[in-house]
Amino acid sequence: MGKSTVSVNLAAALARLGRRVGLLDADIYGPSAPTMFGIEGEPTFDADKRLNPMEAWGVKVMSIGFIVEPGTANIWRGPMASSALRSLMNANWGTEGEPLDVLVIDLPPGTGDIQLTLVQKLKIDGVVIVSTPQEIALVDARRAATMFDKTGAPILGVVENMAWFADSSGAKVPIFGSGGARAEAGRLGVPLLAEIPIELALREACDAGRPLVATVEDGPAVRAFLDLAKAVG
Ligand SMILES: Nc1ncnc2c1ncn2[C@@H]1O[C@H](COP(=O)(O)OP(=O)(O)O)[C@@H](O)[C@H]1O
Ligand SMILES: [Mg+2]
């Protein structure tokens, strides 16, 4: 858990560092970007009939959630979801004179049609695996790593989300355990890129549609996202 939270705050952190950044919400069945960025309304089309991303917090955002009602995509079969994803990928992300520096792609869990469509159609510069300390031991993260590895998309590293909760004395309580992500990163031969604490403000920011890193100057989670942005972007 935390893939969308990390994607959104990584994109906002890159924007804060002055990069031209886009976020492609590739979770066709469960889009998060409209809520997490607080974006309402429908995207327009450009002269080439491509979708124009919606802009918020310095990030160009594209999500199926802008186009269909929540739940509509749930009954789509794989090919329909893949075709929707292609329209989002082909959006008007930038011009020749003003291209994006970075496109962050928020993926659903697993290794299904969506992931395959992406690796077949795009040249992925790097993959970041996000997991809670508990989940990292699950085969899912490992299967994803293997799949991306096979397609030649380099794994940049692992982000441990919900790494700890700071109690009232400031002591770090490892609610979901500790050490798992570092060990898994070691097994994959990649760095542990960031450890994101559990923060009430982070949860509230997600729900309120304002990326924490775009609205709060400093703090443990904000620093972790900014360091992650510097490491990958
Ligand atoms: N480090 C964190 N601290 C507090 N709340 C978090 C944290 N990470 C995730 N959450 C909460 O959990 C919810 C689900 O996380 P999300 O990023 O959507 O997971 P995924 O995309 O992997 O399904 C978020 O909306 C947010 O409210
Ligand atoms: Mg998600």
Side-chain angles (χ1 to χ4, degrees), residues 1-7 27 30 32 36 106-109 130 132 135 160-164 196-207 221 225:
M1 190 158 72
K3 295 177 293 301
S4 298
T5 305
V6 171
S7 304
D27 197 338
S32 301
M36 289 193 178
D106 178 19
L107 285 176
V130 179
T132 65
E135 290 169 325
E160 185 175 72
N161 185 37
M162 306 199 169
W164 74 83
I196 318 285
I198 301 171
E199 282 185 13
L200 181 60
L202 180 54
R203 204 275 300 150
E204 285 171 346
C206 284
D207 292 347
F225 289 130

Side-chain angles (χ1 to χ4, degrees), residues 162-168 170-176 197-200:
M162 306 199 169
W164 74 83
F165 179 78
D167 71 14
S168 51
K172 293 178 176 180
V173 185
I175 292 185
F176 296 111
I198 301 171
E199 282 185 13
L200 181 60

Side-chain angles (χ1 to χ4, degrees), residues 39-44 52-56 59-63 66:
I39 300 175
E40 281 172 22
E42 281 174 34
T44 55
N52 288 316
M54 314 268 278
E55 218 161 323
V59 180
K60 288 184 173 182
V61 186
M62 200 61 244
S63 171
F66 299 150

